[in-house]
């Protein structure tokens, strides 16, 4: 299984998901309760277990900015310190739950699972179009019952679009076109590009852009390990290229964003979003892109669930075969293994809250 890199930022939710109701998510095996403070609207993240009898805080309620355990009434402030226990005035010194660093950026809520002293908000990777009024975005989240490394593999090898997503986003050219791969090991970034000069236009783009006939289709991937995947997609009629100055007014641009967040070693949150710079006020286009992309995501969900079950029955020491299209995925595996190992070296010894 893919080891967890704990000293990293992970997407826990879309900002719109978190409000004045407690939201529970398990991130890297740690159950966390999220809510917005009434006083300043900031997102709060606390360990989702009461220190008293381990009752989930998400089964309790909010009282202003504090969380009241629904079992015995232990009450916690936004920093995780218990401020009330039933039947006595003295609050035990150890009555506190862990709080987690949180950053809300580009409509995503990021949480830091590792050593809080190492949490640098400036290290959160960006997907600015998600909150840019010049782009229109649709999105969602689907859970997958598989190792999160399988989803990383899936997204870095888009040749599977031809076979798994034919009739939606896949065409023969996706599998037939060679890729170029660049790896920045130090930054933990993998780039995979596939430029198709003369390709069939799949329904995903034909219906949303109105292009008739064949297209120039570019797929430029950036994977920022461990969590953020960006697919910069350019679509234009065959022969229509960017201007000499780099501007590209005659093409359609789609930014496809995935946040790959491990929940447990057999469960991953697949956050997805589709942003476009055309037909921005067209609700029909928004509905079409949302529904079709969710269909594509659910095809990945079904395939990875099947793959995980197959891998669970493999004999120990089995060998898999890799080819050119796997270059990006193999680079990502190396980076994830390194980040996990570095996290183990720097991880502090912390008692469970």
């Amino acid at each position: 299984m893919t080891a967890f890199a704990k000293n990293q930022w992970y997407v826990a939710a879309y900002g719109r998901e978190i409000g004045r109701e407690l939201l529970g998510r398990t991130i890297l095996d740690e159950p966390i309760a999220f809510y917005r403070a009434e006083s300043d609207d900031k997102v709060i993240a606390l360990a989702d277990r009461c220190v008293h009898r381990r009752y989930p805080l998400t089964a309790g309620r909010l009282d202003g900015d504090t969380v009241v355990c629904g079992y015995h009434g232990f009450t916690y402030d936004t920093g995780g310190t218990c401020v009330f226990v039933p039947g006595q005035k003295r609050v035990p010194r150890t009555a506190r739950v862990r709080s987690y660093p949180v950053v809300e950026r580009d409509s995503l809520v990021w949480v830091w699972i590792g050593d809080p002293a190492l949490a640098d908000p400036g290290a959160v990777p960006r997907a600015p179009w998600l909150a840019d009024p010049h782009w229109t975005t649709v999105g969602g989240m689907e859970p997958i019952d598989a190792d999160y490394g399988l989803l990383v593999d899936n997204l870095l090898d888009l040749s599977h679009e031809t076979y798994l997503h034919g009739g939606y986003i896949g065409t023969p050219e996706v599998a037939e076109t060679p890729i170029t791969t660049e790896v920045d090991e130090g930054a933990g970034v993998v780039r995979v590009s596939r430029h198709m000069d003369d390709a069939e236009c799949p329904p995903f783009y034909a219906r949303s852009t109105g292009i008739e006939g064949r297209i120039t289709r570019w797929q430029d991937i950036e994977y920022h390990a461990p969590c953020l995947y960006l697919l910069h997609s350019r679509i234009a009629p065959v022969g229509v290229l960017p201007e000499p100055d780099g501007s590209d007014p005659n093409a359609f641009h789609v930014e496809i964003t995935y946040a790959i967040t491990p929940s447990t070693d057999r469960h991953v949150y697949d956050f997805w979003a589709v942003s476009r710079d055309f037909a921005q006020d067209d609700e029909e286009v928004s509905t079409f892109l949302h529904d079709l992309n969710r269909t594509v995501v659910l095809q990945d969900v079904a395939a990875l669930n099947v793959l995980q079950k197959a891998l669970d029955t493999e004999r120990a020491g089995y060998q898999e075969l890799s080819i050119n299209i796997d270059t990006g995925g193999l680079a990502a595996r190396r980076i994830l293994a390194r980040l996990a190992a570095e996290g183990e070296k720097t991880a502090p010894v912390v008692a469970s809250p």
Side-chain angles (χ1 to χ4, degrees), residues 111-133:
V111 64
W112 182 272
I113 300 298
D115 182 350
L118 301 177
D120 175 11
V124 172
R126 302 298 305 272
W129 43 85
L130 295 178
D132 188 330

Side-chain angles (χ1 to χ4, degrees), residues 189-269:
V189 178
V190 179
R191 294 180 173 86
V192 179
S193 294
R194 178 184 277 108
H195 287 189
M196 294 158 273
D197 295 329
D198 185 348
E200 178 185 335
C201 189
F204 186 81
Y205 292 121
R207 284 192 56 185
S208 60
T209 67
I211 293 178
E212 297 180 0
R214 297 179 70 80
I215 59 172
T216 294
R217 182 181 182 186
W218 293 0
Q219 296 175 327
D220 294 299
I221 296 168
E222 292 179 49
Y223 171 57
H224 298 257
C227 186
L228 192 67
Y229 170 99
L230 312 174
L231 171 58
H232 313 295
S233 184
R234 178 189 185 276
I235 310 97
V238 169
V240 175
L241 297 175
E243 300 295 321
D245 64 0
S247 62
D248 200 12
N250 299 312
F252 299 86
H253 303 92
V254 176
E255 297 287 352
I256 298 178
T257 306
Y258 283 90
I260 305 163
T261 300
S263 177
T264 68
D265 64 0
R266 288 294 194 282
H267 193 80
V268 57
Y269 299 119

Side-chain angles (χ1 to χ4, degrees), residues 328-341:
L330 294 174
R333 291 184 188 184
R334 292 195 306 271
I335 291 171
L336 290 173
R338 174 176 61 79
L339 293 177

Side-chain angles (χ1 to χ4, degrees), residues 152-166:
V152 175
D153 278 349
N154 171 278
L155 293 172
L156 282 169
D157 172 18
L158 292 182
S159 67
H160 79 275
E161 288 183 354
T162 300
Y163 306 99
L164 189 60
H165 306 307

Side-chain angles (χ1 to χ4, degrees), residues 34-325:
F34 296 90
Y35 67 99
R36 286 192 185 275
E38 191 173 52
S39 58
D40 58 13
D41 206 42
K42 289 184 178 179
V43 176
I44 308 301
L46 302 178
D48 190 17
R49 294 291 185 270
C50 179
V51 72
H52 177 229
R53 289 293 182 267
R54 311 302 292 168
Y55 195 72
L57 293 183
T58 46
R61 62 181 176 85
L62 293 175
D63 181 8
D65 283 355
T66 62
V67 182
V68 181
C69 178
Y71 194 16
H72 292 103
F74 278 61
T75 302
Y76 302 90
D77 66 15
T78 58
T81 299
C82 185
V83 295
F84 172 80
V85 297
Q88 63 185 60
K89 292 183 177 180
R90 187 184 70 83
V91 176
R93 180 180 56 82
T94 57
R96 60 180 301 113
V97 297
R98 183 180 177 185
S99 65
Y100 296 82
V102 171
V103 171
E104 187 169 8
R105 188 165 293 156
D106 301 329
S107 83
L108 300 173
V109 174
W110 297 78
V111 64
W112 182 272
I113 300 298
D115 182 350
L118 301 177
D120 175 11
V124 172
R126 302 298 305 272
W129 43 85
L130 295 178
D132 188 330
H134 296 98
W135 292 78
T136 298
T137 298
V138 296
M141 188 276 284
E142 300 297 334
I144 305 177
D145 295 323
D147 174 8
Y148 84 101
L150 296 182
L151 181 56
V152 175
D153 278 349
N154 171 278
L155 293 172
L156 282 169
D157 172 18
L158 292 182
S159 67
H160 79 275
E161 288 183 354
T162 300
Y163 306 99
L164 189 60
H165 306 307
Y168 295 92
I169 60 175
T171 67
E173 295 82 9
V174 179
E176 294 168 0
T177 303
I179 62 169
T180 61
T181 305
E182 298 178 12
V183 181
D184 187 334
E185 295 277 356
V189 178
V190 179
R191 294 180 173 86
V192 179
S193 294
R194 178 184 277 108
H195 287 189
M196 294 158 273
D197 295 329
D198 185 348
E200 178 185 335
C201 189
F204 186 81
Y205 292 121
R207 284 192 56 185
S208 60
T209 67
I211 293 178
E212 297 180 0
R214 297 179 70 80
I215 59 172
T216 294
R217 182 181 182 186
W218 293 0
Q219 296 175 327
D220 294 299
I221 296 168
E222 292 179 49
Y223 171 57
H224 298 257
C227 186
L228 192 67
Y229 170 99
L230 312 174
L231 171 58
H232 313 295
S233 184
R234 178 189 185 276
I235 310 97
V238 169
V240 175
L241 297 175
E243 300 295 321
D245 64 0
S247 62
D248 200 12
N250 299 312
F252 299 86
H253 303 92
V254 176
E255 297 287 352
I256 298 178
T257 306
Y258 283 90
I260 305 163
T261 300
S263 177
T264 68
D265 64 0
R266 288 294 194 282
H267 193 80
V268 57
Y269 299 119
D270 183 3
F271 295 90
W272 60 270
V274 178
S275 307
R276 67 184 190 274
D277 67 353
F278 58 92
Q280 291 176 269
D281 298 321
D282 192 323
E283 289 297 325
E284 185 177 346
V285 171
S286 290
T287 299
F288 168 74
L289 289 176
H290 174 277
D291 293 350
L292 192 146
N293 201 74
R294 184 170 186 267
T295 297
V296 168
V297 170
L298 290 175
Q299 289 175 327
D300 283 335
V301 170
L304 295 181
N305 287 348
V306 168
L307 178 56
Q308 183 63 67
K309 289 179 180 179
L311 293 176
D312 287 342
T313 64
E314 284 284 358
R315 67 187 185 280
Y318 73 90
Q319 295 292 319
E320 61 180 13
L321 174 68
S322 296
I323 57 176
N324 289 340
I325 59 174

